[in-house]
Amino acid sequence: MLDIALNSTTITTSTNAIATKVSIRSFMVPPNLIDNILHQIALVVNRHSVIGGYFKVLSRNKFGGILKTKGGQMDISDKLARAFELQYNVELTNADVYRHTGACAENYAWDGFAKFFFGEEQEELTHAKGFQGFLKDRNRTPKILGHNVQLQEMKEPAEMIALAMTTENLNTKGLYALYEMCVAEKDWDAKVFLQPYLTIQRQSESNLFDWQQRLSNCGSKAALFILDEKIGG
């Protein structure tokens, strides 16, 4: 029995191969650090084949919950796995939206906007890869759910940015719903994984809002061409 105590938190793993007890002096640390410590200890313990198998992280304080692994990989509930699979598909769909928007911009010689939207497409694909990797670590393979996107052709940067803003708003709502589900199921590792994506969402929405404001201030085609150069970097 391996028993690691950390600020009223216990990590327990059972094995017939060894019986060891290690104690760590209790000390106060921030909640986020506790989450990271528990995750890292879980990974370290699970790498030792002599321990292996199945273990739980049990906490007696408000940061408590259960972190499970089976067969050398972290486990995840079917409900949460399906929610992550859906978000994986949302990221792929967002990439399609940005690719279409970039193509429209390119077709109407808004080269700067085209560069911006194609860059956003790659970012969404990177996000999708991140969610695929998260599920892979839990021995899950996400299915592609047929994200066929049918969008109208757009000629003006204002309507392109408006579509991008709507896309990001919907994505933010979905990510926060997924985050709340992680908290409800006490899957702290999943919660920590999502936090950087929520930060990116806030930055993306803020950036698009700024471009919307600049577009609304453009009173001529000449001003639009200047803005096109700026957004293309």
Side-chain angles (χ1 to χ4, degrees):
M1 177 71 69
L2 177 65
D3 192 8
I4 302 178
L6 174 60
N7 192 25
S8 300
T9 302
T10 303
I11 294 180
T12 306
T13 184
S14 59
T15 176
N16 295 326
I18 69 169
T20 309
K21 183 174 182 180
V22 180
S23 295
I24 302 176
R25 182 177 298 176
S26 178
F27 58 95
M28 296 301 296
V29 293
N32 288 343
L33 184 55
I34 290 178
D35 288 341
N36 292 332
I37 290 173
L38 293 178
H39 176 57
Q40 292 303 319
I41 292 177
L43 293 177
V44 170
V45 170
N46 204 50
R47 287 193 191 104
H48 291 78
S49 58
V50 71
I51 296 175
Y54 175 90
F55 74 89
K56 295 179 179 179
V57 175
L58 304 174
S59 176
R60 301 191 186 97
N61 58 27
K62 65 180 180 180
F63 311 117
I66 297 178
L67 175 64
K68 299 184 293 183
T69 71
K70 286 185 178 181
Q73 289 181 300
M74 284 187 179
D75 199 14
I76 188 174
S77 72
D78 290 339
K79 178 181 177 181
L80 198 54
R82 285 193 297 271
F84 269 87
E85 180 181 72
L86 178 60
Q87 185 59 39
Y88 165 75
N89 279 272
V90 168
E91 302 293 345
L92 291 176
T93 300
N94 292 347
D96 286 346
V97 171
Y98 278 118
R99 181 166 61 252
H100 170 77
T101 309
C104 289
E106 193 172 54
N107 191 43
Y108 288 94
W110 297 110
D111 296 338
F113 283 97
K115 181 179 178 181
F116 173 77
F117 292 128
F118 287 139
E120 293 299 302
E121 175 199 3
Q122 292 305 311
E123 183 173 311
E124 297 296 336
L125 291 174
T126 299
H127 293 172
K129 184 66 176 177
F131 280 89
Q132 184 268 328
F134 174 87
L135 289 169
K136 175 180 175 293
D137 289 343
R138 284 144 190 82
N139 199 29
R140 305 290 182 118
T141 302
K143 298 177 183 177
I144 295 179
L145 304 177
H147 49 95
N148 184 28
V149 180
Q150 296 181 359
L151 297 169
Q152 295 180 345
E153 188 170 1
M154 294 169 286
K155 298 180 179 180
E156 298 297 329
E159 55 186 338
M160 299 172 191
I161 289 291
L163 175 61
M165 191 69 177
T166 300
T167 300
E168 295 298 344
N169 286 339
L170 291 173
N171 196 35
T172 297
K173 291 179 180 179
L175 282 170
Y176 272 106
L178 182 57
Y179 185 85
E180 290 174 0
M181 187 183 296
C182 293
V183 173
E185 295 212 4
K186 297 183 178 181
D187 191 325
W188 307 128
D189 182 72
K191 180 177 78 75
V192 170
F193 168 82
L194 283 177
Q195 286 172 342
Y197 290 92
L198 293 174
T199 299
I200 291 170
Q201 279 303 116
R202 288 194 296 271
Q203 294 170 344
S204 295
E205 288 193 18
S206 177
N207 189 32
L208 286 171
F209 179 78
D210 287 343
W211 286 115
Q212 274 190 321
Q213 292 297 104
R214 292 168 184 168
L215 281 168
S216 66
N217 292 330
C218 288
S220 66
K221 282 287 186 180
L224 274 176
F225 287 129
I226 293 173
L227 201 60
D228 183 60
E229 291 182 2
K230 286 184 176 294
I231 198 170

